[in-house]
Amino acid sequence: MSVRPAPAALPELRLTPGTAFGMYLHVPFCATRCGYCDFNTYTAAELGGASAQGWLAAVRTELELAADLLGAVSVDTVFIGGGTPSLLGGAGLVEVLDAVRSTFTLTTGAEVTTEANPESTSREFFEHIRAAGYTRVSLGMQSVAPRVLAVLDRTHSPGRALHAAAEAAAAGFEHLNIDLIYGTPGESDDDLLRSVDAALTAGVDHVSAYALVVEDGTALARRVRRGEIAAPDDDVLAHRYELLDQRLSAAGLGWYEVSNWSLPGAECRHNVGYWNGGQWWGAGPGAHGFVGDTRWWNVKHPSAYAQQLSDGQVPVAEFERLDAHARHIENVLLQIRLRTGLPLAALTGSEQRRAGDAVADGLLLRAADRLVLTDRGRLLADAVVRDLLDD
């Protein structure tokens, strides 16, 4: 596998037949920066003159270039992420979806998701995007405990995400996700369980829950380094994971990926495409794409992104070509996280022998010709992968 600066255009992209194709569009705007976040996002003061309309015009250009490079391709899933896509408003998100439809064909029954911050939504917002063809909304709640939200620098009120979920359901959305974060310093077991119960009461059919990670360069990392708050504790994180898994499972939401639970049939098809080795085009500043054996990532700042497109170039910062060994590592790393598991035949002979050791240790179970993480294995998923793979 090699990484190199990209030329004015990507190398020839050859779609792998028989795999799902998705479209990811990155909206880089946020009203404020959360203390734990290291995503490619910008507040108004950091944009250097970039605007939502300028971003949309640049995205339209990138999509046209993508269509030229890929040729006729049908899109199975669309995911608008960020950042805070809901800051574009209902009309803005309709324009984004129109831009995709004007350059690509959406398959019948395509899944179309947008992320949303509860504070920048309303019933009218949800009605607008539902009528335009959005099928799924992912709401960032993180917690209903005020002290947890304060540590995370989240600005929404504890109950706003629940009201937003009710508004989305009333607008006709059948598929609703709520994001949770667990393990925040100062969080109690009860704080987490109240957050899980609140999500369930809101009637969502999908919950994503992530352990808090202290990322270098964030405000949270600086506070931990200064000793103002403690770093998340691994044992506490494991305990909290078990608590939320038990609560969600009891309510009928089963895990289908280590950090994701849903009612039957409500899995996020876009993300399942990632984990199963699908292909996608990533549009927008800092977005990543993957087609055939090529992965690339765009320049990060919205102004630089727009300028590169204005110069007639695909706005790529770098790309890499994945050889068979790199693809093998990624397939093991991603598929082992799924409840459907990893085909035993995907492993080398020595990896299969080590898989047998993991089964004996209670980290994996053998289900016909597949390997699936046990409950204990899910807590140690990264270590399981490291132990499985050949050097």
Side-chain angles (χ1 to χ4, degrees):
M1 179 176 66
S2 59
V3 180
R4 69 196 83 175
L10 284 166
E12 183 180 3
L13 300 176
R14 295 186 178 181
L15 287 158
T16 302
T19 59
F21 187 84
M23 183 69 64
Y24 173 77
L25 296 97
H26 185 74
V27 180
F29 310 117
C30 279
T32 61
R33 183 177 296 281
C34 298
Y36 62 91
C37 180
D38 72 336
F39 294 165
N40 187 46
T41 62
Y42 303 85
T43 62
E46 299 167 327
L47 284 173
S51 67
Q53 283 303 312
W55 168 86
L56 179 58
V59 164
R60 287 184 184 277
T61 301
E62 184 182 356
L63 292 175
E64 291 167 358
L65 290 173
D68 288 341
L69 287 171
L70 297 176
V73 57
S74 295
V75 176
D76 301 294
T77 62
V78 179
F79 196 105
I80 319 297
T84 310
S86 49
L87 284 178
L88 299 176
L93 283 174
V94 172
E95 287 190 70
V96 172
L97 186 53
D98 285 345
V100 175
R101 286 195 177 113
S102 69
T103 45
F104 290 91
T105 299
L106 269 61
T107 59
T108 302
E111 176 190 84
V112 182
T113 302
T114 185
E115 295 179 336
N117 184 311
E119 290 296 322
S120 51
T121 63
S122 64
R123 177 158 181 172
E124 292 73 22
F125 166 87
F126 291 118
E127 289 173 344
H128 201 164
I129 64 172
R130 182 70 188 95
Y134 283 81
T135 65
R136 188 172 179 277
V137 171
S138 181
L139 294 165
M141 183 173 81
Q142 320 313 348
S143 176
V144 296
R147 59 183 172 181
V148 173
L149 294 174
V151 172
L152 296 175
D153 292 325
R154 296 288 294 184
T155 58
H156 64 79
S157 61
R160 175 56 203 156
L162 309 179
H163 292 305
E167 291 166 351
F173 280 97
E174 297 179 2
H175 297 304
L176 296 170
N177 172 67
I178 276 183
D179 280 347
L180 298 176
I181 288 178
Y182 60 93
T184 301
E187 177 192 64
S188 67
D189 288 355
D190 185 59
D191 289 332
L192 175 64
L193 291 175
R194 286 192 297 109
S195 298
V196 174
D197 289 345
L200 294 171
T201 301
V204 300
D205 60 2
H206 191 290
V207 172
S208 300
Y210 305 101
L212 179 66
V213 176
V214 180
E215 301 286 1
D216 291 341
T218 62
L220 181 63
R222 292 189 289 273
R223 294 185 66 190
V224 170
R225 188 169 58 248
R226 292 194 297 264
E228 295 175 11
I229 55 176
D233 180 271
D234 287 343
D235 290 337
V236 171
L237 291 175
H239 173 63
R240 297 270 161 76
Y241 182 90
E242 292 173 331
L243 285 179
L244 67 89
D245 180 55
Q246 291 165 7
R247 197 72 130 216
L248 291 169
S249 298
L253 277 72
W255 77 280
Y256 70 96
E257 191 274 341
V258 168
S259 298
N260 290 272
W261 292 256
S262 78
L263 293 177
E267 299 85 357
C268 177
R269 288 160 45 197
H270 185 85
N271 287 339
V272 169
Y274 292 153
W275 298 318
N276 274 326
Q279 303 170 101
W280 72 95
W281 188 280
H288 288 226
F290 178 68
V291 170
D293 66 352
T294 303
R295 177 188 290 115
W296 68 92
W297 46 100
N298 285 346
V299 294
K300 286 190 169 183
H301 198 280
S303 295
Y305 165 79
Q307 183 61 54
Q308 199 154 324
L309 283 161
S310 178
D311 292 340
Q313 299 178 5
V314 178
V316 171
E318 291 181 308
F319 70 87
E320 58 186 354
R321 307 295 291 268
L322 275 64
D323 58 22
H325 179 63
R327 291 298 306 271
H328 172 70
I329 291 173
E330 290 207 350
N331 286 338
V332 173
L333 177 68
L334 295 174
Q335 289 190 29
I336 200 69
R337 296 178 62 86
L338 294 168
R339 187 162 196 162
T340 52
L342 174 74
L344 185 63
L347 299 177
T348 66
S350 56
E351 289 169 346
Q352 289 185 23
R353 289 191 290 274
R354 287 194 290 275
D357 294 337
V359 171
D361 290 340
L363 299 171
L364 291 172
L365 59 85
R366 178 87 177 263
D369 60 346
R370 304 184 78 86
L371 296 167
V372 181
L373 290 168
T374 63
D375 289 348
R376 177 166 168 261
R378 278 191 280 159
L379 298 173
L380 302 166
D382 291 342
V384 172
V385 171
R386 287 195 300 270
D387 290 343
L388 275 182
L389 289 169
D390 292 329
D391 294 334

